[in-house]
Amino acid sequence: ATMCVAVALLNPSPERLSGPLSARVSIGVGVSGALPSAAAAARVRGAAPFVSSTFRPGLRVHADDGNKYGFRGSFVFDPDEDVKQKAETTVKEALETSRAIENATEADLFNNLAMVIKETKKFGIDDKDAKLYARMERAAKDLESKFGYRYEMEQLYGDWKLLFTTSAAYRRMGGMTGFAKAMGSSLHSLYQQLRKDEVTNQMYAKALRSLLNVEEAEEVKDCDPAGSSTTVEVLTVFGGAKVKNEIRGVFLLDEFEDAGRKFTGVDQICYEGDSGGQENIPAPARALQICTYISSDDQFRISRSPSGTLFFFQRVEDLEGDFEKMGVPARGGSTFGNMFK
């Protein structure tokens, strides 16, 4: 197993998860690549593989049964981390928030977040959803500050559906690929799959070749991937039919420490995907998401990009089954070869 340690410049405030990860140094045989990030981190490799894309166990409750929060489904990660989407608060507002959550339960604070979710038009991606960002940020920060950072790395594995994001890139593109902006198309759902699959040497070689920066590839070439990652976009097209686009790769797991609290980052390196009816097309991309909260029932997750962009996910128990019900391939994207069968 390989361990890589990352040293970052970071704002020590627990409310801020943005700032450049300026340097990474190696321990043993592993070296981790420089990434833009929010916190000082220790990167642990070898648990299972993980992917990133630019196309962009608590008691577990089955998706069909719903759960105490009333949601069903799963969630996805952000590709473009270039725009900071954070609702700034004054010192007075921060103090008021602190007093308000002092005696609040997790269910109380989650309910505040759920109320915002119910008002969204399209997962935060529709332009009309931007007016909800400040409320969503406040609700998410309340959960992060009181109940965040209480999870095990293993809980990140699985299939997740995106319920809300403040990503400017997703909003600009209407989803992951931009095809949702085409006439007659609309975004149906977005998913992130973090699987404990075996990553072959060939897969990792493809991921390393996809990195545009040669130095980045050199820095991570000896790290052990944690697993495979797939980011999926499902669109509704003419007649209500569904079309599936996906981007595939591997992922590394980073263990970060911020103000004495440890949490995990998912460093995704993508190399190919199926999109626009074509399969196995090059899709070089890299993205980092830092997990700040997983609910006590293991069903919901808040992750942040290095710039603070928020992603709120829900776990999905049978994603392949959900895909089959939608009429899209359980594995792989919709291609010209399988769309009209």
Side-chain angles (χ1 to χ4, degrees):
T2 299
M3 173 172 285
C4 302
V5 172
V7 179
L9 297 178
L10 131 95
N11 185 330
S13 165
E15 288 206 353
R16 178 165 179 169
L17 285 175
S18 61
L21 179 62
S22 59
R24 297 203 175 212
V25 296
S26 65
I27 288 183
V29 296
V31 183
S32 95
L35 286 175
S37 153
R43 166 169 287 177
V44 181
R45 311 292 192 192
F50 133 29
V51 171
S52 122
S53 155
T54 48
F55 268 116
R56 314 273 291 229
L59 177 65
R60 181 165 297 179
V61 181
H62 290 289
D64 289 342
D65 300 329
N67 51 65
K68 65 182 180 181
Y69 301 120
F71 289 103
R72 293 178 173 81
S74 73
F75 195 24
V76 166
F77 83 96
D78 184 22
D80 237 344
E81 268 63 76
D82 57 347
V83 179
K84 181 179 178 182
Q85 294 291 328
K86 299 189 71 174
E88 300 297 333
T89 61
T90 63
V91 173
K92 180 180 178 181
E93 289 173 331
L95 289 172
E96 290 174 348
T97 299
S98 178
R99 296 190 194 101
I101 70 173
E102 186 175 350
N103 299 315
T105 66
E106 182 181 13
D108 292 333
L109 298 180
F110 195 98
N111 185 61
N112 293 336
L113 186 148
M115 295 301 290
V116 180
I117 297 291
K118 290 178 180 178
E119 295 182 36
T120 62
K121 184 175 177 62
K122 191 72 72 174
F123 325 119
I125 294 173
D126 190 274
D127 288 338
K128 294 180 180 178
D129 289 337
K131 64 183 180 182
L132 300 173
Y133 284 6
R135 286 173 55 200
M136 188 65 179
E137 279 288 351
R138 173 67 63 83
K141 285 179 182 177
D142 287 350
L143 273 170
E144 290 167 332
S145 63
K146 189 168 184 181
F147 297 101
Y149 315 99
R150 302 181 185 182
Y151 62 87
E152 300 297 326
M153 188 179 290
E154 290 289 315
Q155 290 177 262
L156 286 166
Y157 292 109
D159 299 334
W160 301 88
K161 180 179 181 179
L162 179 65
L163 297 183
F164 194 93
T165 182
T166 59
S167 168
Y170 271 19
R171 194 170 73 251
R172 183 173 63 248
M173 298 177 69
M176 181 177 74
T177 62
F179 286 115
K181 294 280 190 179
M183 184 179 296
S185 298
S186 64
L187 179 65
H188 177 271
S189 49
L190 287 163
Y191 303 88
Q192 183 185 58
Q193 297 175 278
L194 301 176
R195 299 288 181 87
K196 248 186 184 178
D197 302 329
E198 179 183 357
V199 173
T200 65
N201 291 336
Q202 183 181 18
M203 290 170 63
Y204 200 48
K206 284 183 178 181
L208 293 178
R209 286 197 299 270
S210 74
L211 294 173
L212 302 180
N213 187 317
V214 176
E215 293 180 357
E216 279 188 89
E218 281 296 313
E219 289 168 341
V220 300
K221 67 182 179 68
D222 293 323
C223 292
D224 298 326
S228 67
S229 172
T230 306
T231 300
V232 177
E233 171 189 75
V234 178
L235 305 178
T236 301
V237 295
F238 289 111
K242 302 296 187 294
V243 172
K244 178 185 175 192
N245 297 314
E246 70 172 37
I247 184 170
R248 299 179 291 273
V250 300
F251 69 93
L252 310 171
L253 291 176
D254 299 342
E255 188 174 81
F256 289 82
E257 185 168 350
D258 177 16
R261 298 177 298 182
K262 291 184 178 180
F263 48 102
T264 303
V266 176
D267 177 9
Q268 300 169 300
I269 306 174
C270 301
Y271 53 85
E272 70 178 16
D274 304 332
S275 182
Q278 302 180 73
E279 59 183 329
N280 300 324
I281 59 177
R286 191 175 187 181
L288 174 66
Q289 279 191 351
I290 303 158
C291 181
T292 58
Y293 166 81
I294 293 181
S295 62
S296 58
D297 65 357
D298 198 35
Q299 294 300 295
F300 297 92
R301 178 180 120 220
I302 296 175
S303 289
R304 300 273 187 173
S305 74
S307 63
T309 297
L310 181 148
F311 297 88
F312 179 54
F313 297 90
Q314 183 179 6
R315 190 181 296 279
V316 180
E317 300 296 339
D318 182 18
L319 187 52
E320 277 82 5
D322 290 346
F323 286 152
E324 289 180 0
K325 292 175 184 176
M326 295 178 201
V328 298
R331 293 183 176 272
S334 300
T335 66
F336 294 123
N338 63 34
M339 274 193 285
F340 304 107
K341 286 184 178 180

